[in-house]
Amino acid sequence: MPEMLLRLNRIKTIAAIVLLVFLPILQVLGGWLIVEQKSDRFGNFGMQSTIISGQKVRIEHQTSTFIFNLDSNQTTIILPRQKVYWRGHHDSLGEALYRQLDIQISLMIAQLPEKERDKVAEEMQFLTTLMRSHQPDSLLPDHFRIVATDSVTRILNYKCQKYLFSVDSLVVEEIWMTSELKPWDQIDLRRLNQMMRLFNKPNLYSAYRVSDEWLTMLGKGLLMRSVAINSLGNSVMEVSAVRQTNVRDEIFLPPDDYRKAGIEEMLNILMGGPEAIKPDAGEPELPKLPVKPRTASPRGSPLGPPY
């Protein structure tokens, strides 16, 4: 227990340092800074900072930074350990990613016993089709619900209401939302989620967090705490600092001394090549999606050229 308290205090100290680092450069355009801390059942801790200004969003972890410019439809990926970045059109990144996935899936299926290949190929085809879909909420089970409760608490002195994300009678996640803060109300959340989906694993959380119901909630408030429930131990996210401030444009640019990588090199790093990055500590282990029957194929046209 003392060791866990020391880790929590360390996280709080780091959150304070993040504010001190970013605030001197958050000075020109109106925006938001949100700092989250995460922990999992293994005792791992991690942090994420999010900066929002206009139609630009910067999401920073220890091992990677993602910048989404909704006005120009550009994504920037920054890897501090390798000191490289990639910046380009979101559609070209999606095209290259799906080419890589098709190659890796083909190689994986070729190594399976022959009697298993057709079944696995069908499942992989279904999942990749869902990844390309314009309406990924088709991943959601039929009995998915977000239920408001009467429970209210205060986090960072903001009034927060508790909601339950459930499938049938099983509660998968508990979330606390505040309507006193609205950092996302000017952002095109559907467009942002479409861009971010390239970097999300298909699972229950990534599916319901692009649903119309969830995006409507997020546009009217801020998620302050999340408890992903697991029989072996819960994963927790909580906002440790949030403030409205002003943001300089350069915060959405890569560092001057970083090398620009080609798209294939960047994908090789992200997808498990020799320089592959590891998940951040404290990243929740999310439940896998049940594969729906073929009759429940995704609605809408594929994401051709597109986390």
Side-chain angles (χ1 to χ4, degrees), residues 271-290:
M271 296 178 67
E275 292 293 310
I277 61 175
K278 296 179 180 179
D280 291 338
E283 189 68 20
E285 185 175 332
L286 304 180
K288 295 180 180 179
L289 273 170

Side-chain angles (χ1 to χ4, degrees), residues 7 89 92 99 110 121 140 155 157 168 198 203 211-212 255 271 294 298:
R7 289 187 178 184
H89 200 272
S92 62
R99 283 198 303 270
L140 288 170
I155 302 174
N157 208 31
D168 290 319
L198 284 178
N203 54 55
S211 68
D212 287 340
M271 296 178 67
R294 297 291 292 180

Side-chain angles (χ1 to χ4, degrees), residues 121-162:
E122 184 178 9
E123 291 178 352
M124 291 298 101
Q125 177 62 43
F126 181 67
L127 287 175
T128 54
T129 301
L130 289 172
M131 289 176 65
R132 290 173 164 90
S133 172
H134 279 302
Q135 293 181 301
D137 58 353
S138 58
L139 283 163
L140 288 170
D142 294 333
H143 303 295
F144 146 79
R145 293 186 302 158
I146 300 176
V147 181
T149 74
D150 295 329
S151 178
V152 175
T153 190
R154 301 194 79 86
I155 302 174
L156 296 181
N157 208 31
Y158 295 105
K159 182 180 177 182
C160 301
Q161 183 176 4
K162 181 179 179 180

Side-chain angles (χ1 to χ4, degrees), residues 169-185:
S169 60
L170 177 66
V171 176
V172 179
E173 185 178 16
E174 300 173 347
I175 55 179
W176 283 260
M177 299 283 299
T178 180
S179 59
E180 296 179 10
L181 299 168
K182 300 179 181 179
W184 300 105
D185 64 341

Side-chain angles (χ1 to χ4, degrees), residues 27-56:
Q27 291 179 352
V28 177
L29 301 174
W32 290 83
L33 171 63
I34 305 165
V35 182
E36 302 171 0
Q37 59 187 43
K38 302 178 182 181
S39 62
D40 66 16
R41 64 181 184 269
F42 302 111
N44 296 316
F45 292 88
M47 291 193 65
Q48 172 180 298
S49 64
T50 302
I51 297 173
I52 306 166
S53 178
Q55 295 298 309
K56 297 177 183 178

